Amino acid sequence: MKLTIPLCTAASIIALASHAAVQTPVDTLITNGHILTMDAQKAEFPHGLVAIKDDRIIAVTDGSDVASYTAKRTLDAKGDIVMPGLINTHTHVSMSVFRSLADDVPDRLHRYIFPLEGKLVSRDMVRIGANLGNVEMLKGGVTTYADMYYFEDEVAKTVDTIGMRAVLGETVIKFPVADAKNAQEGINYALNFIEQYKDHPRITPAFAPHAPYTNTTETLKQLSKLSQELDVPVMIHLAESHRESEKIAERSGGLSPVAYMNEIGALNDKLIAAHVINADDADIALLKANDVGIAHNMSANIKSAKGVSPALKMFDEGLRIGLGTDGPMSGNTLSTLDEFNQVAKVHKLANKDRAAMPPIKVVEMATIGAARALHMEEQIGSLEVGKQADIIIIDTKAPNMVPIYNPYSALVYSAYSSNVKHSFVAGRQLMQDRKILTVDESKIIEEAQGFAKIVRKTVIESGEKVQ
Amino acid sequence: MKLTIPLCTAASIIALASHAAVQTPVDTLITNGHILTMDAQKAEFPHGLVAIKDDRIIAVTDGSDVASYTAKRTLDAKGDIVMPGLINTHTHVSMSVFRSLADDVPDRLHRYIFPLEGKLVSRDMVRIGANLGNVEMLKGGVTTYADMYYFEDEVAKTVDTIGMRAVLGETVIKFPVADAKNAQEGINYALNFIEQYKDHPRITPAFAPHAPYTNTTETLKQLSKLSQELDVPVMIHLAESHRESEKIAERSGGLSPVAYMNEIGALNDKLIAAHVINADDADIALLKANDVGIAHNMSANIKSAKGVSPALKMFDEGLRIGLGTDGPMSGNTLSTLDEFNQVAKVHKLANKDRAAMPPIKVVEMATIGAARALHMEEQIGSLEVGKQADIIIIDTKAPNMVPIYNPYSALVYSAYSSNVKHSFVAGRQLMQDRKILTVDESKIIEEAQGFAKIVRKTVIESGEKVQ
């Protein structure tokens, strides 16, 4: 009989020693990842690990302590990028069923979208569109999103089912809409929704006044007061269009939209303002002083030729700002990863400086910056002990990702949404090797295709433009 | 015993009748496609067919004649988009092995890229990089590309193997480079390469003087003359940078790069000019009058903050212009599909008009426009009888592509490179369900990763910036 005597190397002694010591039990251990923590130091571990217990991260290390954990499940990242889930700070997810309709119609919101919505928004449409958009986002690395639309309780159900995280704002607007005849009915709808979801671990219900010019001063003041009392966010489109600037200047005796919101006491740490394109230095100072969160939607803003937001300036001055896609009729995709490229390049172009927007800033605006924009940086946006385990893993061996000398550069200039392999939210794996584990993707797509037939019929019957 | 008697419908009578008639034998029949022909009328067949025999298209129809073909193989496109393969009019494919290096270094070409290339360009590097870039392009829907680099005979071998189509330009430059000590050696190298490949069915060898300011007037004149004699293209970077404009103005007594090229007799129907950013109306008129092809590289041009080319104006005025990605250190991806979005949006932004760049124009610039830019519109760029069967099929059921009301809009604003399912070049299927049939993708990626180790070591040893 031959005895096999193991070689006793220094490494094995350490491993044995650590095995002998008390081990930390964890649910999931992600090993051998190129970890971008996105913490304050932007710590990066090329061969690191992340340990998850329940819904939280309990360790993020360089990987040298790998033997000190016992895990129910170990996922070998094989050198792929492990990073915080992306946060889409602004969308209208259910509008996915309208995507690619009449993209180039001038004054599109008022001439096309509002009338279209008048005919087609329903509880069913909201559910079908949200299901489709959720799938697209999750497959593109988004784990949290902020939504403004109608029937947000339907969106909430879809988010609950797929397992993602969201801030969901019920629209308040002075015109009759599908789920409310006027602003007060919208507020009542929102109050019910907030009551229903205020204790949900992954869903934050919110008010969503459409914009300053589509609401009265009284409504905006009322929502500001209610949001403080109930401790819920208020999401609004702000400083987005020249029409808005004109209307608000008329109403306020010449104030900018931001200055007007300040004047009426509606700028505060509950507010999340989408777009903020038409903002001067004084406006930026007001947004900063009042701790307002900002959603920067580069792709939608340039598609509509509205202009380039001073987002880089706001970011550099320390404002709470993150990336958003806007709705799928606007962007037209829903993963911020699809936009990284444009965000970096258009800010370089606008600043006439190739060094103006280094890739790491873009990734920051999609993760911890976006978490700050939603006032959620204590929970999400970086891989740090104690935070929620919202994590994505990105393929580094796809042809478009090889080679990687700088992972931030690879993410911003080379990555596709389809390079996202795995997603976790609150410690639960929602996607594995691009397969969504919690919902039936093909059924969702079939349902959306079915609804598209109704849309097509309605649009054609109205004699409106399809293309 | 029960007899099953088939119902004799009108449709089956027609089918029987056409079966009885003489049928056309074809190699491949693509049925049930949403066909975008990109012909002069932009004919579109929502349930159409394309018939391929040998390397050519022999029918493109609305599908009603489907029974009149006998095919060796039938591919049911199941409603997916069937369109001409994309044509990338400008790249440096082998630089894929340098991707994500030092993206934000100012004056990067002269301070970083030329010295890096001095150390690392070799026959091996060119082959490894070309293999990687070919795979990325093919998976992103590119079937033809135009390349400018060194050791182009190595690139040609990779193109021949994978089965794609390419215009390959051997660099001529006045500095010593990896495969030539001076411009004359570069010309000699190119002449040998042209001799070797002039009769290849899918490879067009070409001269590639780097730029006007990196070559002498004599060299540029000599190449212009040779290109006419040998009937081969000349590819050049033109009107790309302020440095170039200054150097050429010094040399020519104040002329713009385009005017200088005209002055020395180098603007003609063999020339393909990349970038053309700094061109005024007089320059555009010269380019048009001389039938010059133009490669528009939006993504690379804005990443380097060089500016927005008047590409839309040139397109609208009927110039030969198509999309290019530039090299993978510049763009940084290689499929023009990744850029559609940016091309549309940045032209809208630059023109302050959401209707300035309808999606169909972008698709045209990526297909028949790009074919015109390469002076190859008789062979490729649209699905028309007699043309080469260079065809791609794009998934319309991916979550980011559902629903589709306008296929051009879906391609430009929603599609990812990873939505390309199948590719054909010259009638031969090169990719099926995203699997490349002609080369071993994983081996190519491993080899690129191996070379990246050498790059990393060299860069770090030089004390140069990686990030």
Side-chain angles (χ1 to χ4, degrees):
Chain A
M1 193 189 173
K2 191 180 164 192
L3 273 175
T4 305
I5 302 168
L7 285 174
C8 199
T9 62
S12 60
I13 292 172
I14 292 165
L16 285 168
S18 78
H19 271 287
V22 178
Q23 286 191 307
T24 310
V26 303
D27 294 325
T28 303
L29 191 64
I30 301 171
T31 61
N32 196 23
H34 190 133
I35 297 179
L36 308 180
T37 63
M38 301 312 293
D39 68 7
Q41 291 72 42
K42 305 287 175 293
E44 197 181 323
F45 302 116
H47 307 283
L49 67 77
V50 181
I52 302 170
K53 192 161 167 55
D54 301 322
D55 57 349
R56 283 172 201 276
I57 295 169
I58 64 157
V60 184
T61 78
D62 64 6
S64 59
D65 59 339
V66 65
S68 68
Y69 304 91
T70 49
K72 288 181 191 159
R73 184 198 168 201
T74 298
L75 193 162
D76 181 352
K78 296 180 185 162
D80 284 341
I81 291 172
V82 178
M83 62 180 291
L86 305 180
I87 300 166
N88 181 352
T89 61
H90 180 63
T91 191
H92 314 286
V93 63
S94 301
M95 294 176 81
S96 61
V97 291
F98 298 145
R99 175 161 45 199
S100 90
L101 270 179
D103 278 308
D104 297 319
V105 173
D107 192 18
R108 187 165 172 247
L109 177 64
H110 294 266
R111 284 181 46 193
Y112 196 91
I113 298 180
F114 282 158
L116 179 78
E117 289 183 328
K119 292 182 197 116
L120 286 165
V121 173
S122 67
R123 204 165 259 288
D124 260 6
M125 172 265 171
V126 166
R127 174 181 52 78
I128 293 168
N131 272 328
L132 177 64
N134 289 345
V135 166
E136 184 192 341
M137 279 194 268
L138 189 58
K139 294 193 93 169
V142 173
T143 52
T144 296
Y145 68 94
D147 196 62
M148 295 171 66
Y149 213 58
Y150 310 100
F151 299 109
E152 283 291 335
D153 49 326
E154 285 296 326
V155 182
K157 284 185 232 166
T158 69
V159 171
D160 190 43
T161 305
I162 199 168
M164 294 168 77
R165 194 183 301 281
V167 182
L168 304 178
E170 173 63 29
T171 293
V172 178
I173 192 164
K174 64 183 174 184
F175 313 114
V177 289
D179 63 356
K181 285 204 206 81
N182 52 44
Q184 192 54 52
E185 279 197 21
I187 293 173
N188 294 342
Y189 198 110
L191 287 170
N192 281 336
F193 171 54
I194 290 165
E195 178 58 27
Q196 197 182 348
Y197 278 91
K198 67 181 180 347
D199 299 321
H200 193 286
R202 288 178 287 101
I203 293 169
T204 306
F207 295 108
H210 172 266
Y213 73 106
T214 52
N215 279 288
T216 64
T217 302
E218 291 61 42
T219 300
L220 295 168
K221 282 182 173 174
Q222 187 185 353
L223 289 175
S224 184
K225 188 162 168 281
L226 280 170
S227 75
Q228 296 288 343
E229 286 170 13
L230 300 170
D231 190 23
V232 294
V234 174
M235 296 192 280
I236 193 165
H237 297 101
L238 185 62
E240 184 185 5
S241 69
H242 293 303
R243 176 198 283 251
E244 175 194 355
S245 293
E246 281 164 21
K247 295 267 180 198
I248 293 300
E250 278 170 28
R251 180 191 294 188
S252 66
L255 294 178
S256 72
V258 172
Y260 159 77
M261 288 287 282
N262 182 60
E263 180 84 2
I264 66 169
L267 286 193
N268 57 51
D269 65 356
K270 296 282 169 283
L271 195 71
I272 301 160
H275 304 299
V276 191
I277 301 168
N278 304 311
D280 61 15
D281 288 355
D283 291 328
I284 293 173
L286 285 174
L287 294 165
K288 183 172 182 179
N290 290 287
D291 212 18
V292 174
I294 294 157
H296 172 39
N297 306 284
M298 172 67 90
S299 181
N301 296 343
I302 62 175
K303 177 168 169 243
S304 57
K306 289 203 180 89
V308 178
S309 157
L312 182 53
K313 185 183 174 80
M314 293 192 271
F315 178 85
D316 287 341
E317 292 187 2
L319 276 75
R320 295 174 170 275
I321 182 162
L323 301 186
T325 58
D326 205 350
M329 276 191 92
S330 308
N332 293 2
T333 55
L334 285 169
S335 163
T336 51
L337 187 53
D338 301 321
E339 311 217 340
F340 282 8
N341 207 316
Q342 295 168 65
V343 170
K345 289 173 182 172
V346 177
H347 282 298
K348 286 166 172 233
L349 177 69
N351 287 279
K352 295 186 171 53
D353 175 9
R354 84 173 296 145
M357 189 77 178
I360 198 168
K361 284 193 189 180
V362 180
V363 178
E364 191 171 342
M365 286 174 81
T367 54
I368 187 67
R372 293 184 71 235
L374 301 183
H375 297 274
M376 291 175 78
E377 71 272 21
E378 300 296 322
Q379 294 173 65
I380 56 173
S382 59
L383 303 185
E384 292 183 81
V385 172
K387 282 203 176 179
Q388 288 287 301
D390 290 10
I391 301 168
I392 58 173
I393 302 185
I394 295 182
D395 186 5
T396 55
K397 291 117 193 165
N400 61 305
M401 293 291 280
V402 171
I404 296 185
Y405 302 106
N406 174 342
Y408 301 103
S409 177
L411 286 170
V412 170
Y413 296 123
S414 311
Y416 307 148
S417 278
S418 55
N419 297 133
V420 181
K421 281 170 77 174
H422 310 294
S423 294
F424 293 79
V425 174
R428 179 183 181 202
Q429 187 163 6
L430 305 187
M431 181 168 76
Q432 181 164 352
D433 289 312
R434 297 201 59 66
K435 184 178 161 42
I436 296 183
L437 305 174
T438 45
V439 299
D440 182 340
E441 182 181 332
S442 57
K443 203 175 139 192
I444 283 171
I445 285 171
E446 270 168 37
E447 204 170 13
Q449 287 172 322
F451 191 82
K453 286 182 194 159
I454 301 173
V455 175
R456 203 173 278 113
K457 193 161 173 280
T458 309
V459 169
I460 290 166
E461 277 176 4
S462 321
E464 281 164 6
K465 284 179 75 152
V466 178
Q467 299 193 9
Chain B
M1 193 185 173
K2 190 181 169 191
L3 273 176
T4 304
I5 301 169
L7 284 174
C8 199
T9 63
S12 60
I13 291 172
I14 290 166
L16 285 168
S18 78
H19 272 288
V22 178
Q23 286 193 305
T24 310
V26 304
D27 294 325
T28 303
L29 192 64
I30 301 171
T31 61
N32 194 24
H34 190 133
I35 296 177
L36 309 181
T37 63
M38 301 311 295
D39 68 7
Q41 291 72 40
K42 304 290 175 290
E44 198 182 321
F45 302 116
H47 307 283
L49 68 78
V50 181
I52 302 168
K53 190 159 170 57
D54 301 322
D55 57 349
R56 285 175 200 276
I57 296 169
I58 64 157
V60 184
T61 78
D62 64 6
S64 59
D65 59 340
V66 65
S68 68
Y69 304 91
T70 50
K72 289 183 189 158
R73 183 195 168 202
T74 298
L75 194 162
D76 181 352
K78 295 179 186 163
D80 286 339
I81 292 171
V82 177
M83 62 182 289
L86 306 180
I87 300 166
N88 181 353
T89 60
H90 180 62
T91 190
H92 315 286
V93 63
S94 301
M95 293 176 82
S96 61
V97 291
F98 299 145
R99 176 162 43 199
S100 91
L101 270 179
D103 278 307
D104 297 318
V105 172
D107 192 18
R108 187 165 171 246
L109 177 64
H110 294 268
R111 282 181 48 192
Y112 195 91
I113 298 180
F114 281 158
L116 179 77
E117 289 183 328
K119 292 182 196 112
L120 286 165
V121 174
S122 67
R123 202 165 261 288
D124 260 5
M125 172 265 171
V126 167
R127 173 181 52 78
I128 294 168
N131 272 326
L132 177 64
N134 289 346
V135 166
E136 183 191 340
M137 280 194 269
L138 189 58
K139 294 192 93 168
V142 173
T143 50
T144 296
Y145 67 96
D147 196 62
M148 295 171 66
Y149 213 57
Y150 310 100
F151 299 110
E152 284 291 334
D153 48 326
E154 284 297 325
V155 182
K157 285 185 231 166
T158 70
V159 170
D160 190 42
T161 305
I162 198 167
M164 295 168 75
R165 192 182 303 280
V167 182
L168 304 178
E170 172 64 30
T171 292
V172 177
I173 192 165
K174 64 183 175 183
F175 313 114
V177 290
D179 63 356
K181 286 205 204 80
N182 51 46
Q184 191 55 52
E185 280 198 20
I187 294 172
N188 294 342
Y189 198 110
L191 287 170
N192 280 335
F193 171 55
I194 290 164
E195 178 58 26
Q196 197 182 347
Y197 278 92
K198 67 179 178 350
D199 298 322
H200 193 287
R202 289 178 285 102
I203 293 169
T204 307
F207 295 108
H210 172 268
Y213 72 107
T214 52
N215 279 289
T216 64
T217 301
E218 291 62 42
T219 300
L220 296 168
K221 283 183 173 174
Q222 186 185 353
L223 290 175
S224 185
K225 189 162 168 282
L226 281 169
S227 75
Q228 297 289 341
E229 285 169 15
L230 300 170
D231 189 24
V232 294
V234 174
M235 297 193 279
I236 192 165
H237 297 100
L238 185 63
E240 182 184 5
S241 71
H242 293 302
R243 177 198 284 251
E244 176 195 355
S245 293
E246 282 164 22
K247 296 267 179 198
I248 294 299
E250 279 170 28
R251 180 191 292 187
S252 65
L255 293 179
S256 72
V258 171
Y260 158 77
M261 288 287 281
N262 182 60
E263 180 84 3
I264 67 169
L267 287 193
N268 56 52
D269 66 356
K270 297 282 168 281
L271 196 71
I272 301 160
H275 305 300
V276 191
I277 301 168
N278 305 310
D280 62 15
D281 287 355
D283 291 329
I284 292 173
L286 285 174
L287 293 164
K288 183 172 181 181
N290 289 287
D291 211 18
V292 174
I294 294 157
H296 172 39
N297 306 281
M298 172 67 89
S299 181
N301 295 345
I302 63 176
K303 176 167 169 243
S304 57
K306 288 201 181 90
V308 177
S309 158
L312 182 53
K313 184 183 175 75
M314 292 192 274
F315 178 84
D316 287 340
E317 293 188 2
L319 277 76
R320 297 174 169 272
I321 183 163
L323 300 186
T325 58
D326 205 351
M329 275 190 94
S330 308
N332 292 1
T333 54
L334 285 169
S335 163
T336 51
L337 186 53
D338 302 320
E339 311 218 339
F340 282 8
N341 206 315
Q342 295 169 65
V343 170
K345 290 174 183 173
V346 176
H347 282 298
K348 286 165 172 236
L349 177 70
N351 287 281
K352 295 186 171 55
D353 176 8
R354 84 173 299 145
M357 189 77 177
I360 199 169
K361 284 193 189 181
V362 180
V363 178
E364 191 172 344
M365 286 175 82
T367 54
I368 188 65
R372 293 184 71 235
L374 301 183
H375 296 275
M376 291 174 77
E377 71 272 20
E378 300 297 321
Q379 294 174 63
I380 56 173
S382 59
L383 303 185
E384 293 183 81
V385 171
K387 282 203 176 180
Q388 288 286 302
D390 291 11
I391 301 168
I392 58 174
I393 301 185
I394 294 182
D395 186 4
T396 55
K397 292 115 193 169
N400 61 305
M401 293 291 281
V402 170
I404 296 184
Y405 302 105
N406 174 343
Y408 302 103
S409 177
L411 286 170
V412 170
Y413 297 124
S414 311
Y416 308 148
S417 278
S418 54
N419 298 131
V420 180
K421 282 170 76 174
H422 310 293
S423 293
F424 293 79
V425 174
R428 179 184 181 199
Q429 187 163 6
L430 305 186
M431 182 168 76
Q432 180 164 352
D433 289 313
R434 296 200 62 63
K435 184 177 161 45
I436 296 183
L437 305 173
T438 44
V439 299
D440 182 339
E441 181 180 334
S442 57
K443 202 176 139 192
I444 283 170
I445 284 172
E446 270 169 36
E447 205 171 10
Q449 287 172 321
F451 191 81
K453 287 183 192 158
I454 301 172
V455 175
R456 203 173 276 112
K457 192 161 173 281
T458 309
V459 170
I460 290 167
E461 277 175 3
S462 323
E464 279 164 7
K465 285 179 75 156
V466 177
Q467 297 193 8

